Amino acid sequence: MNKDNFVLIMAGGVGSRFWPVSRIEHPKQFIDFFGVGKTLIQSTYDRFLKICPPENIFVVTNEIYTDLIKKQLPELSENQILAEPIMRNTAPCIAYGSMKIAEINPNATIIVAPSDHTIAYLDSFVASIEEALKAARENDCLITLGIKPSRPDTSYGYIQYMDNTLPGDDRIHKVKLITEKPNLELAKSFVQSGDFLWNAGIFVWSVNAISDAFSTHLPEMYDIFHLGASSYNTPDEKGFIANAYTQCTNISIDLGIMEKADNVYVLPTDFGWSDLGTWASVYDMADKDYVGNAVMPSEQVMMFNSSNCMVNVPEDKLVILQGLHDYIVVESNNTLLICPRTEEQSVKQIVADVKSNFGLKFI
């Protein structure tokens, strides 16, 4: 196993679209959605143990989740948990993590990955990551993993790639365009063109390549975090970061760097990826019965004349459903959500509307 391989797992999101199960104090990355005995972040951590040594896995999260991280990933040392004092999107957390890792190993190659994705085909995932790591070590480039789209989906960003490939690997293509979530008609045209991929938000690069990218495209942010070089991995780090984050703009790595840099490449992949962005995506991934119902757990849920529903309730909750089709039924902490499975409106918006209309404070 290559000691120069490092992982930065991003675990600071609040997962509001998975209300009422996911709440600010206990968001989706810390939940076992499928009853497999591991939460999403634990599954993510375990995947990367096949790629790099455990001491090279770092988790960046909001400081309010540090106790949850320690509880669910007790293998991590204090120094492997990067606590953000305030939420500032993906560019600041990647700048922080990359520069901290650079002080540990200036030859590091870093994988940046979200904590709340699911991967169906682990061997294919590991092979893709190792291919990207090799290419990143040998070339001055920023690599992102793109997912071959199976349908026109408006909930993902897209990456358009060119025929030009990276020297030494004709599967890794030069990126032409990175775009935000499109409308349905545009998504259909992307898929039909054959040269667009879903943006998985998984990146691979050397510490030198990402440092140069920040210096060129986000110079103010680069200066903020570069000033802390002598503080990283010391008792002074927490105080420095508390001050640094107050100076940072709220910007994503896609908008701040990936859409601007001219050395961005993409590796088309297909390893059964899902970002679990909505309850509907959980339904897509879950095991279903012969009429399309996905019930988690199923011991005390009884369904009659019902089909294509997703039910997620506490284990001790007795639930009887009759005549319900294509619905999501979720209950947690004595709060019940029932909405059409095909509803385009996100649960996040539903929650916002309820809060606005009734003044409730439940997240």
Side-chain angles (χ1 to χ4, degrees):
M1 189 173 290
N2 194 322
K3 63 180 178 58
D4 293 334
N5 293 345
F6 283 74
V7 178
L8 183 65
I9 299 174
M10 298 181 292
V14 298
S16 58
R17 285 178 292 181
F18 284 94
W19 179 86
V21 171
S22 175
R23 306 207 180 198
I24 285 179
E25 68 273 12
H26 198 274
K28 68 173 180 175
Q29 58 268 33
F30 302 109
I31 296 170
D32 176 7
F33 278 96
F34 300 104
V36 296
K38 293 180 182 179
T39 64
L40 295 178
I41 192 169
Q42 288 172 328
S43 295
T44 301
Y45 176 85
D46 287 351
R47 278 197 294 273
F48 285 113
L49 288 175
K50 297 182 176 296
I51 295 167
C52 70
E55 64 270 19
N56 290 4
I57 299 178
F58 291 77
V59 176
V60 58
T61 189
N62 189 280
E63 62 184 13
I64 65 175
Y65 301 136
T66 53
D67 287 343
L68 274 171
I69 296 288
K70 291 175 183 178
K71 181 179 179 180
Q72 295 201 359
L73 298 175
E75 307 90 339
L76 295 179
S77 69
E78 290 276 352
N79 194 49
Q80 290 172 271
I81 302 173
L82 286 63
E84 297 180 288
I86 50 179
M87 295 182 183
R88 278 291 186 270
N89 217 314
T90 54
C93 82
I94 289 172
Y96 172 23
S98 298
M99 294 188 192
K100 176 182 172 74
I101 290 170
E103 291 302 310
I104 297 172
N105 185 338
N107 298 314
T109 307
I110 304 173
I111 309 150
V112 178
S115 61
D116 52 4
H117 292 183
T118 63
I119 305 296
Y121 311 122
L122 182 57
D123 289 345
S124 295
F125 173 77
V126 171
S128 294
I129 291 291
E130 289 181 340
E131 180 177 357
L133 284 166
K134 181 177 183 295
R137 282 193 296 268
E138 296 174 355
N139 298 273
D140 177 24
C141 63
L142 309 174
I143 299 175
T144 183
L145 270 59
I147 308 299
K148 295 176 183 177
S150 58
R151 62 189 181 278
D153 198 308
T154 60
S155 59
Y156 301 141
Y158 284 75
I159 302 168
Q160 185 182 25
Y161 62 91
M162 299 185 283
D163 290 335
N164 310 36
T165 58
L166 201 61
D169 192 327
D170 60 6
R171 289 186 357 99
I172 301 180
H173 294 259
K174 185 79 178 289
V175 168
K176 182 177 182 180
L177 174 70
I178 296 178
T179 184
E180 297 298 312
K181 300 171 184 177
N183 59 39
L184 183 58
E185 289 305 311
L186 200 53
K188 288 179 179 177
S189 69
F190 287 170
V191 174
Q192 290 169 357
S193 73
D195 58 358
F196 278 83
L197 304 165
W198 288 336
N199 186 353
I202 302 172
F203 310 103
V204 181
W205 43 52
S206 68
V207 291
N208 290 329
I210 193 59
S211 179
D212 290 346
F214 271 102
S215 178
T216 301
H217 303 290
L218 290 173
E220 292 182 359
M221 190 174 295
Y222 172 83
D223 289 341
I224 290 169
F225 286 100
H226 187 65
L227 282 173
S230 61
S231 299
Y232 294 132
N233 310 298
T234 76
D236 297 330
E237 180 176 325
K238 183 176 181 179
F240 167 77
I241 289 300
N243 179 59
Y245 265 71
T246 63
Q247 304 173 57
C248 287
T249 55
N250 188 333
I251 189 170
S252 70
I253 194 71
D254 283 337
L255 185 61
I257 289 180
M258 302 302 284
E259 293 181 12
K260 299 175 181 177
D262 60 3
N263 62 336
V264 178
Y265 286 78
V266 63
L267 173 61
T269 60
D270 186 10
F271 39 68
W273 168 90
S274 174
D275 74 341
L276 291 190
T278 62
W279 280 115
S281 64
V282 173
Y283 172 83
D284 290 339
M285 294 290 293
D287 293 333
K288 305 171 188 66
D289 65 18
Y290 71 102
V291 289
N293 292 319
V295 181
M296 300 168 286
S298 60
E299 284 76 8
Q300 297 205 69
V301 177
M302 290 179 263
M303 304 187 72
F304 303 95
N305 188 30
S306 299
S307 64
N308 301 319
C309 291
M310 199 211 72
V311 183
N312 187 298
V313 295
E315 287 183 296
D316 59 350
K317 185 72 65 172
L318 174 62
V319 176
I320 302 172
L321 299 175
Q322 181 169 356
L324 201 62
H325 305 279
D326 294 297
Y327 265 76
I328 293 169
V329 180
V330 180
E331 195 271 341
S332 180
N333 296 318
N334 294 317
T335 304
L336 177 66
L337 170 72
I338 303 176
C339 68
R341 187 171 58 81
T342 55
E343 176 62 60
E344 288 295 328
Q345 184 185 32
S346 70
V347 173
K348 183 177 181 179
Q349 185 59 49
I350 293 171
V351 172
D353 290 344
V354 174
K355 289 174 67 178
S356 176
N357 292 333
F358 297 98
L360 298 180
K361 298 179 179 179
F362 38 57
I363 60 172

